[in-house]
Amino acid sequence: ITSNGKLTPDFEYIAALREANSAKIVGDFSSKKKALILGAGYVSAPVVEYLTRDTELGVTVASALKSEADHLASLHERTEPVLLDIVERPDLLDDLMKSHDVVVSLLPWTLHPEIAKRCIANKVNMVTASYLSPALKGMHDEAVAAGITVVNECGVDPGIDHFLALECFHDVQNSGGKIESF
């Protein structure tokens, strides 16, 4: 495959493959405000669409699946795709965080404690739609000390469902009823 530290002609295509699949921090990060979206799955599209309504906000979509990040970024202005596997390349995650104002994690909830830990270390605010886990709750004082805000449970479920439940509670109470359990 190699000779004298270089790929032989039959295997030079490997260098192009590695380049195409390598993680790169690219894009126009000149926007006044920047949001880093972690994940490019189905939930990400409405979030990116909503965020890009703000013409002063730049959005970066980071995903371990380059094709998903590329597709999502192609649909919205001021949106850049980045190939990133946060487990294998936490150093690149840190670099990205340092150039953004907020991280919106749409990754599986099991990854949120690690994302929060890095947000705290990099002093970057974090938002996620997932429920508040004991691990995240345990980081509250660290987040306060770092001067950042970590917002959980803001989405449809969890999130809006909480407001709907509260509305139901108020309706019951305003009608003279009492909520005994929830």
Side-chain angles (χ1 to χ4, degrees), residues 28 79 90 127 156 165 176:
D28 176 13
T79 304
V127 177
V156 175

Side-chain angles (χ1 to χ4, degrees), residues 13-24 66-67 70 82-83:
Y13 72 93
I14 293 172
L17 286 174
R18 291 184 76 189
E19 177 66 23
N21 291 312
S22 67
K24 295 182 187 82
K66 188 171 187 328
S67 60
D70 287 344
V82 174
L83 175 65

Side-chain angles (χ1 to χ4, degrees), residues 3 5-6 35 42 44 67 71 85 87-88 92 101 107 118 123 125 140 144-146 157-159 162 173 175:
S3 177
K6 294 183 180 179
Y42 292 115
S44 303
S67 60
H71 175 72
D85 184 325
V87 175
E88 291 186 21
L92 290 177
D101 300 297
L107 297 172
R118 295 194 170 281
K123 298 183 186 290
N125 298 308
H140 174 76
V144 170
D157 181 21
H162 294 184
Q173 291 166 344
S175 299

Side-chain angles (χ1 to χ4, degrees), residues 1-8:
I1 294 178
T2 62
S3 177
N4 296 323
K6 294 183 180 179
L7 291 169
T8 59

